[in-house]
Amino acid sequence: MRIAVLGGDGYCGWPTALYLSSRGHEVTIVDNFSRRLWDYELGAQTLTPIRPLPDRLRAWRKAGGRVISSFIGDITDYEFVGSMVREFEPEAIVHFAEQRSAPYSMIDRRHANFTQVNNVVGTLNVLFAIKEFQPDCHLVKLGTMGEYGTPNIDIEEGYIRIQHNGREDVLPFPKQPGSFYHLSKVHDTHNIHFCCKIWGLRATDLNQGVVYGTVTPETAHDETLVNRFDYDDVFGTALNRFCVQAALEHPITVYGKGGQTRGFLDIRDTVRCIELACLNPAARGEFRVFNQFTEQFSILQLARMVQTAAKRFGLHVTIDHIPDPRVEAEEHYYNAKTRNWSTWDCNRTCSQNRWSILW
Amino acid sequence: MRIAVLGGDGYCGWPTALYLSSRGHEVTIVDNFSRRLWDYELGAQTLTPIRPLPDRLRAWRKAGGRVISSFIGDITDYEFVGSMVREFEPEAIVHFAEQRSAPYSMIDRRHANFTQVNNVVGTLNVLFAIKEFQPDCHLVKLGTMGEYGTPNIDIEEGYIRIQHNGREDVLPFPKQPGSFYHLSKVHDTHNIHFCCKIWGLRATDLNQGVVYGTVTPETAHDETLVNRFDYDDVFGTALNRFCVQAALEHPITVYGKGGQTRGFLDIRDTVRCIELACLNPAARGEFRVFNQFTEQFSILQLARMVQTAAKRFGLHVTIDHIPDPRVEAEEHYYNAKTRNWSTWDCNRTCSQNRWSILW
């Protein structure tokens, strides 16, 4: 298939592009390098040095991979997105090209507004470009499990059947996002759903849990192909920070009680899920939603697993509970469903990868 | 009270500002005249000629009203909103300052993006300005009944108690907005809800039905105070268009079968509701939602009522069913609740105004 990976220079996009390429698809990477820019803004860096995209793409060819082309530009610029779609004629667009850090979106008003405008306008442009130039193209949009928040009922996949006053309907699952970033994803979800309905577009929303891991078989071919490992307080996930703290024998810093529970999945499952979605497109007019994660853990469970793993390396690490800087429930019910996704028979491969980062 | 009316030069904002002023409140109007600009863009005009704001404000004083001040600027400019809030120190901000036409938002990509960015950024700026300069200020935000779409269950006020797999929670009512404009309102709703939660702001979301009527006791004082009456296909409501068609003995043009049902309320009830909301502020941290309308009608019912009313003036009008240019259910269940609002004892005044525009 011809697949455009928007945000293909980033943490999830890069290994996805390589995996899809290794599977024989014709891949193009669309990126404006904003993720690299934010490193400069924040004075932070990935632990694994990331080479310029042309070097990465050359290394991929040298390692025997197919040619991956690239379109460098900003998807909030419609001329750019439109010309990319006209020229490349993608059968699927995998859309990672968003500002994806909740803490970044919460820095101040400027960052909040930037995140919402950037993500919403970028996605609207992609939708309009598909409608205008490639109406049969399947949009595979990365959502996040964080859109749901932590309701006191089971989290279904995108929709819920509600019985109320003797009537019933299947409606979008109510969302309670917990940051301006997560809000931007909910805005996207509503916009995409609407465009599928009125224009007959095909879209799959993949609400992935927190993605962990750095290495995939494809990025392991050559050092130049290495993926990001962010551990700063803005783009680093809790797990990545815990791992780095443990390696330094610094106490692991858990926000509050640590009962905050989320779904998690390995980056190698992320890339497989993306291909599965591409190979099984939504129908015209369908807005399909999948929740994707392999396990659910609380922050405290994560901290304890990292502590245990560190012990095997002879590292003695304590766990500190520091005041939670976020307004969130530190203890809550959490049971998210991922039924639809498992019917794609992805379970077998997923289970092999569980917690491979730690062992 | 000191009340800032954002969008106070527009169709709902202007009579609200006058009504609040007549009730003894200290009112300021905040507007960038974008509504007037869109008339030029569309080559359309209100049937009632609207005078420049300074003329309107002078006429209001001359008619014996209190001084209404004004801040002219764009709320997507944070410097402007912030300085307004610092200077005026509002106890309540009534926020009408959005692009409010569904058809306008659906013209093309540029209008869709403009509507969403304009409305979302404007509202985010208002939220940040309240947080930064006037954290006790009560935001009275105009939502719309159109946020809900037409679910097959009763529409509750903002929230719904959901029982699911043996557990239950009260969650935001699932939204199915039907245009890029309505989507922008849903985005706003999520953003405001979040800011109330994390910053302890007070907000009331008034999901008003379709507002009709032109004259209020305040605008009737002087011709210079007259309110807008839009009847074009972008900013005119179906009812306004039907009235003008009837006056011309032009067939009334119903989209499709005409079973599309919505809530309606008189502009005189709108302004009363706003004052009630201001006088009864939400608690700190509370995001309160009210549905506001006095009656529900289908488009075909509206057309028939206009036909009947026209007959009394000796006008013979037919009803045409033209293909529906919108993707929407032409027949559907519709039963929206407005319980909370009625407990404010606004019912008595509302019922006096029913369909006064027609008789």
Side-chain angles (χ1 to χ4, degrees):
Chain A
M1 290 180 81
R2 278 190 314 283
I3 305 176
V5 181
L6 315 189
D9 188 49
Y11 167 65
C12 287
W14 173 246
T16 298
L18 295 191
Y19 179 73
L20 293 173
S21 175
S22 78
R23 301 276 293 170
H25 301 292
E26 186 184 342
V27 175
T28 197
I29 284 176
V30 180
D31 211 294
N32 68 347
F33 303 134
S34 55
R35 182 64 195 85
R36 294 172 184 256
L37 189 69
W38 297 328
D39 275 345
Y40 288 113
E41 178 191 348
L42 300 166
Q45 256 305 351
T46 155
L47 204 58
T48 46
I50 302 302
R51 302 287 290 273
L53 184 62
D55 293 3
R56 297 175 115 182
L57 295 179
R58 262 192 301 272
W60 178 242
R61 277 188 72 180
K62 216 170 130 190
R66 288 173 60 119
V67 172
I68 296 178
S69 63
S70 63
F71 288 81
I72 304 310
D74 193 325
I75 62 165
T76 64
D77 170 5
Y78 187 69
E79 295 294 305
F80 168 73
V81 195
S83 65
M84 182 277 291
V85 171
R86 273 201 312 273
E87 191 173 324
F88 184 69
E89 297 182 341
E91 291 160 282
I93 290 180
V94 180
H95 179 16
F96 291 107
E98 301 210 314
Q99 192 301 95
R100 57 99 176 153
S101 159
Y104 189 88
S105 76
M106 298 298 290
I107 291 173
D108 58 15
R109 183 188 56 79
R110 195 172 61 78
H111 289 82
N113 282 7
F114 166 77
T115 299
Q116 295 215 346
V117 172
N118 181 70
N119 295 0
V120 168
V121 171
T123 299
L124 283 174
N125 281 349
V126 170
L127 291 163
F128 274 95
I130 291 175
K131 175 199 169 223
E132 190 169 358
F133 303 115
Q134 193 78 353
D136 207 44
C137 176
H138 176 213
L139 175 62
V140 179
K141 168 64 162 56
L142 271 292
T144 160
M145 287 301 295
E147 290 184 30
Y148 296 111
T150 55
N152 194 41
I153 58 172
D154 294 343
I155 295 171
E156 300 295 332
E157 295 192 289
Y159 302 91
I160 182 170
R161 179 176 300 277
I162 299 177
Q163 290 176 324
H164 183 58
N165 298 347
R167 300 182 65 87
E168 72 168 41
D169 200 354
V170 175
L171 295 171
F173 196 96
K175 302 288 179 74
Q176 299 180 106
S179 76
F180 289 112
Y181 154 71
H182 289 100
L183 283 155
S184 77
K185 293 290 215 183
V186 173
H187 304 344
D188 280 342
T189 298
H190 281 100
N191 284 341
I192 300 170
H193 192 174
F194 175 68
C195 291
C196 288
K197 183 180 152 201
I198 60 162
W199 297 331
L201 302 190
R202 334 169 165 267
T204 300
D205 197 13
L206 301 180
N207 289 324
Q208 295 206 332
V210 181
V211 183
Y212 63 86
T214 301
V215 182
T216 65
E218 293 73 43
T219 65
H221 277 306
D222 186 291
E223 213 178 84
T224 309
L225 300 173
V226 72
N227 197 10
R228 300 188 64 94
F229 182 88
D230 297 302
Y231 63 102
D232 62 283
D233 59 344
V234 176
F235 277 94
T237 59
L239 177 60
N240 283 12
R241 292 203 305 277
F242 292 173
C243 289
V244 171
Q245 288 171 328
L248 300 171
E249 291 191 301
H250 182 285
I252 291 171
T253 49
V254 166
Y255 287 170
K257 292 175 182 162
Q260 305 93 320
T261 301
R262 303 290 185 270
F264 290 81
L265 83 164
D266 188 296
I267 183 82
R268 288 171 294 187
D269 292 326
T270 293
V271 304
R272 287 194 189 94
C273 292
I274 302 291
E275 195 202 15
L276 280 168
C278 292
L279 293 176
N280 300 277
R284 289 295 295 259
E286 186 187 6
F287 177 64
R288 192 173 56 169
V289 185
F290 296 108
N291 298 341
Q292 298 192 318
F293 55 88
T294 51
E295 291 164 288
Q296 294 180 173
F297 295 107
S298 74
I299 289 293
L300 190 56
Q301 283 177 304
L302 274 192
R304 286 184 179 145
M305 281 191 290
V306 173
Q307 190 180 40
T308 305
K311 213 169 187 173
R312 300 191 195 171
F313 292 100
L315 298 165
H316 295 282
V317 189
T318 58
I319 295 173
D320 269 12
H321 291 264
I322 63 172
D324 191 343
R326 306 178 182 193
V327 179
E328 62 183 6
E330 293 176 15
E331 287 175 319
H332 56 84
Y333 178 73
Y334 196 81
N335 185 32
K337 301 294 184 63
T338 178
R339 173 182 39 83
N340 283 342
W341 177 52
S342 63
T343 62
W344 288 358
D345 196 25
C346 193
N347 267 351
R348 196 180 44 75
T349 53
C350 296
S351 57
Q352 296 168 357
N353 295 332
R354 292 194 178 179
W355 295 100
S356 46
I357 194 178
L358 298 179
W359 285 277
Chain B
M1 290 180 81
R2 277 190 314 283
I3 306 176
V5 180
L6 315 189
D9 188 49
Y11 167 65
C12 286
W14 173 246
T16 299
L18 295 191
Y19 179 73
L20 293 172
S21 175
S22 78
R23 301 276 294 170
H25 302 292
E26 186 184 341
V27 174
T28 197
I29 283 176
V30 180
D31 211 293
N32 68 346
F33 303 133
S34 53
R35 181 63 195 84
R36 294 171 184 256
L37 190 68
W38 299 327
D39 276 343
Y40 289 113
E41 178 192 347
L42 300 167
Q45 258 303 352
T46 155
L47 204 58
T48 46
I50 302 302
R51 303 287 291 274
L53 184 62
D55 293 3
R56 297 174 116 184
L57 296 178
R58 261 193 302 273
W60 177 242
R61 278 189 71 181
K62 216 171 131 193
R66 289 174 58 120
V67 173
I68 296 178
S69 63
S70 63
F71 288 80
I72 305 310
D74 192 325
I75 63 166
T76 64
D77 169 4
Y78 187 69
E79 295 295 305
F80 169 72
V81 195
S83 65
M84 181 277 291
V85 172
R86 273 202 311 274
E87 192 174 320
F88 185 69
E89 297 181 339
E91 293 160 280
I93 290 180
V94 179
H95 179 15
F96 290 106
E98 302 211 314
Q99 192 301 93
R100 57 99 176 152
S101 159
Y104 188 88
S105 76
M106 299 298 290
I107 292 174
D108 58 14
R109 184 189 55 79
R110 194 172 63 78
H111 289 83
N113 283 7
F114 166 77
T115 299
Q116 294 216 346
V117 171
N118 181 70
N119 294 1
V120 167
V121 170
T123 299
L124 282 174
N125 281 350
V126 169
L127 291 163
F128 273 94
I130 291 175
K131 174 198 170 224
E132 190 170 0
F133 302 116
Q134 194 77 353
D136 208 42
C137 177
H138 175 213
L139 175 63
V140 178
K141 167 66 161 57
L142 272 291
T144 159
M145 287 302 293
E147 292 185 30
Y148 296 110
T150 55
N152 194 39
I153 58 173
D154 293 344
I155 296 172
E156 300 294 333
E157 294 193 288
Y159 303 92
I160 181 170
R161 180 176 299 278
I162 298 177
Q163 291 176 324
H164 184 57
N165 297 347
R167 302 182 63 88
E168 73 169 41
D169 201 354
V170 176
L171 295 172
F173 196 96
K175 303 287 180 73
Q176 298 179 108
S179 76
F180 289 113
Y181 154 72
H182 289 101
L183 283 156
S184 77
K185 292 291 215 182
V186 173
H187 305 343
D188 281 342
T189 297
H190 280 102
N191 284 341
I192 299 169
H193 192 174
F194 175 68
C195 291
C196 288
K197 183 179 153 203
I198 61 162
W199 297 332
L201 303 189
R202 332 168 166 268
T204 300
D205 196 13
L206 301 180
N207 289 324
Q208 295 206 334
V210 182
V211 183
Y212 63 87
T214 300
V215 183
T216 65
E218 293 73 43
T219 65
H221 277 306
D222 186 291
E223 213 179 82
T224 311
L225 300 173
V226 71
N227 197 11
R228 300 188 65 93
F229 183 88
D230 297 302
Y231 63 101
D232 62 283
D233 60 344
V234 176
F235 278 94
T237 59
L239 177 60
N240 283 12
R241 291 202 305 277
F242 292 174
C243 290
V244 171
Q245 288 171 329
L248 300 171
E249 291 191 301
H250 181 285
I252 292 172
T253 49
V254 167
Y255 287 170
K257 291 176 182 161
Q260 304 93 318
T261 301
R262 303 289 186 269
F264 290 81
L265 82 165
D266 188 295
I267 183 81
R268 288 171 293 187
D269 292 325
T270 293
V271 304
R272 287 192 188 96
C273 291
I274 302 291
E275 194 202 15
L276 280 168
C278 292
L279 293 175
N280 300 277
R284 288 297 293 260
E286 185 187 7
F287 177 64
R288 193 174 54 170
V289 185
F290 296 108
N291 298 342
Q292 298 191 319
F293 55 88
T294 52
E295 291 164 288
Q296 295 179 173
F297 295 106
S298 73
I299 289 294
L300 189 56
Q301 283 178 302
L302 274 192
R304 286 184 178 144
M305 281 192 290
V306 173
Q307 190 179 40
T308 305
K311 211 169 190 174
R312 300 192 195 171
F313 291 100
L315 299 165
H316 295 281
V317 189
T318 58
I319 294 174
D320 269 11
H321 291 265
I322 63 172
D324 192 343
R326 305 178 181 192
V327 178
E328 62 182 6
E330 293 177 14
E331 287 176 318
H332 56 84
Y333 179 73
Y334 196 81
N335 185 31
K337 301 295 183 63
T338 178
R339 172 181 39 84
N340 283 341
W341 176 55
S342 63
T343 62
W344 287 358
D345 196 26
C346 194
N347 266 352
R348 196 181 44 76
T349 53
C350 295
S351 57
Q352 297 169 357
N353 296 329
R354 291 192 181 180
W355 295 101
S356 46
I357 193 178
L358 297 180
W359 286 275

